[in-house]
Amino acid sequence: MFRATPTWRFAVSTLIRFAPPSVTAEQYDNAVRRLNEEGVFPADGLEFEICFGSGDKHRVSQVWDSPEQMAAFGERLAPILAELGIDPGEPEIVEVHNIIRR
């Protein structure tokens, strides 16, 4: 039987999920490269990021320490995505109830 011990947290994290109309692994990698070149990535407050999918249907999920840190990163991310021709779509933003790690 699987048992997990919750990681109790006092601060509430924020999850943002991007489901762009179309983005490939190469486009995602180019965006990450640019963010690194500009010293924006990894951003302050970004707990982790996951990119998944195949073909031109890649998705990205990020967990942030706070909505303010997420918003500050978004202001730096938006022009880079626009320059690369990536439409992030309308992200879903939710509060994280719990994070369980191994």
Side-chain angles (χ1 to χ4, degrees):
M1 178 173 159
F2 175 77
R3 290 181 186 224
T5 302
T7 302
W8 300 106
R9 301 175 59 142
F10 294 101
V12 176
S13 295
T14 301
L15 169 75
I16 184 167
R17 298 189 324 179
F18 293 95
S22 173
V23 71
T24 65
E26 182 179 6
Q27 288 174 303
Y28 170 81
D29 292 342
N30 286 336
V32 170
R33 179 185 50 77
R34 283 292 312 285
L35 289 164
N36 280 310
E37 288 173 356
E38 301 215 4
V40 177
F41 207 59
D44 182 43
L46 177 63
E47 189 166 336
F48 60 87
E49 174 172 307
I50 301 169
C51 177
F52 57 96
S54 62
D56 69 344
K57 297 295 181 197
H58 281 73
R59 307 290 182 252
V60 176
S61 294
Q62 300 173 326
V63 174
W64 290 88
D65 291 338
S66 74
E68 295 79 18
Q69 290 168 312
M70 180 184 68
F73 174 74
E75 290 176 12
R76 307 222 25 218
L77 173 65
I80 292 171
L81 293 182
E83 181 182 314
L84 294 173
I86 299 172
D87 173 6
E90 188 63 36
E92 176 186 12
I93 301 171
V94 295
E95 279 189 0
V96 173
H97 172 72
N98 189 29
I99 296 173
I100 299 173
R101 296 182 187 263
R102 62 179 164 137

